[in-house]
Amino acid sequence: GRQKLNMAASTIPGEFILPAYLPGFLEEYPSVRADLKIQESDRLLDRVDEGELRWGVTGGRREESTLEYTPLFVDRMMLVAAQEHARPGQPVTYGDFRDLRYVGRGPRSGTRRAVVERFESAGFSPDEFLNPVARVGTVQAVREVLLNGLGVGFLPASVVSEDLETGRLIELPTEFPSIKRTFYGVENRFIGTPPVVDRFLDYLGEVLPEEGTIHE
C-alpha cells in the first residue's frame, strides 16, 4: 500500500533544504507519497506538542517536556548584497550597520532572532544598529530586494548559493563570527515517529554532508 510521509517545516528548511532531498528519497521508495507543509515555527511546535503532527523540521526550539529535537542541518547566515554595494577591503563591523541600508525580516522570524542575538551578545543594541530600511516577510522577498540593489541583508547559505556562483550577489566579509542556525527534526517523545519518517531520517543520514552542514 501507499505510505504517506506527512511533515511540516518552517520556511528555510521547508522551502530551501528539504526539497533538495525529497526527490532522491521518493525515487528510492516509489510507494511513498510526501506531503510537506510550510508553517511558522510556533504553530509547528504546537501541532507536534498536541500530537496532531508526528514530525516537523524547524530552527525554533521550546523546552517543553513533550518535544524531542534531533539536529539535522546547520545553515550559515551570510551577509550579502548586490555587486554595487561591494565594499572593497574592510570587513563589515557591528558599528557599520548604523550606516548600512539594511534589509531585515519580521520580528517573529528565526533569522531575525539569530541576528539580534549575535548583536546583543556583543553589546550592540539591535534597535540602534539593526534599523532596517525595509522589513520583508519572507527569505525569498529579502533575496529579491537585495538582487534589485536595495542594500545588505543576512540570508542563509542554502538560499543564496546559486546567486553567489553567478555573481548576482556577493558575500560581504564581517569582522564578527559567522551566524549559524541549526534546524532540528522535532517529534513528540510520547508518541514517536511513524516508520516512514524513520526511513526518511535514515536516508538523510546517508546523503547529508558530515555534521549536516550546508554550504560552508
Side-chain angles (χ1 to χ4, degrees):
R2 297 221 171 278
Q3 286 183 298
K4 203 145 188 221
L5 172 61
N6 280 318
M7 51 185 168
S10 54
T11 316
I12 291 166
E15 287 186 24
F16 301 97
I17 301 177
L18 290 171
Y21 297 103
L22 264 181
F25 175 72
L26 295 175
E27 209 167 286
E28 208 167 295
Y29 296 98
S31 68
V32 174
R33 291 285 172 271
D35 185 343
L36 169 60
K37 294 199 167 39
I38 309 292
Q39 263 180 350
E40 259 200 342
S41 278
D42 279 345
R43 173 84 190 103
L44 187 156
L45 295 175
D46 285 343
R47 289 183 65 211
V48 175
D49 181 40
E50 288 153 17
E52 183 196 320
L53 172 70
R54 300 281 294 273
W55 191 71
V57 180
T58 177
R61 285 185 68 143
R62 291 200 307 237
E63 299 311 320
E64 256 156 76
S65 59
T66 47
L67 302 176
E68 187 163 323
Y69 302 91
T70 309
L72 284 182
F73 313 106
V74 179
D75 206 353
R76 184 163 74 88
M77 304 294 301
M78 300 169 128
L79 184 64
V80 294
Q83 206 67 48
E84 64 262 35
H85 290 276
R87 301 156 54 100
Q90 292 306 316
V92 176
T93 66
Y94 291 109
D96 289 339
F97 277 84
R98 261 207 190 117
D99 311 314
L100 289 174
R101 292 173 70 70
Y102 174 65
V103 179
R105 295 269 312 279
R108 293 190 58 170
S109 125
T111 304
R112 158 106 185 141
R113 229 170 321 192
V115 174
V116 161
E117 279 166 17
R118 169 51 47 84
F119 271 70
E120 285 177 340
S121 67
F124 291 87
S125 143
D127 291 341
E128 191 182 338
F129 288 87
L130 289 175
N131 200 354
V133 56
R135 222 173 236 180
V136 291
T138 65
V139 180
Q140 202 52 59
V142 173
R143 178 177 166 266
E144 284 300 326
V145 165
L146 295 179
L147 283 170
N148 286 296
L150 180 61
V152 307
F154 286 99
L155 281 174
S158 58
V159 175
V160 294
S161 55
E162 222 166 278
D163 297 321
L164 296 173
E165 271 165 39
T166 60
R168 294 177 71 200
L169 289 175
I170 53 168
E171 181 178 10
L172 305 180
T174 60
E175 196 192 58
F176 44 88
S178 67
I179 300 171
K180 292 199 167 131
R181 289 193 68 203
T182 301
F183 294 101
Y184 303 90
V186 58
E187 64 185 88
N188 186 312
R189 74 176 77 232
F190 301 112
I191 302 172
T193 49
V196 65
V197 166
D198 299 336
R199 206 177 295 165
F200 185 50
L201 283 166
D202 287 343
Y203 174 79
L204 286 177
E206 286 162 29
V207 296
L208 277 174
E210 211 39 54
E211 307 294 287
T213 300
I214 300 168
H215 310 291
E216 250 322 303

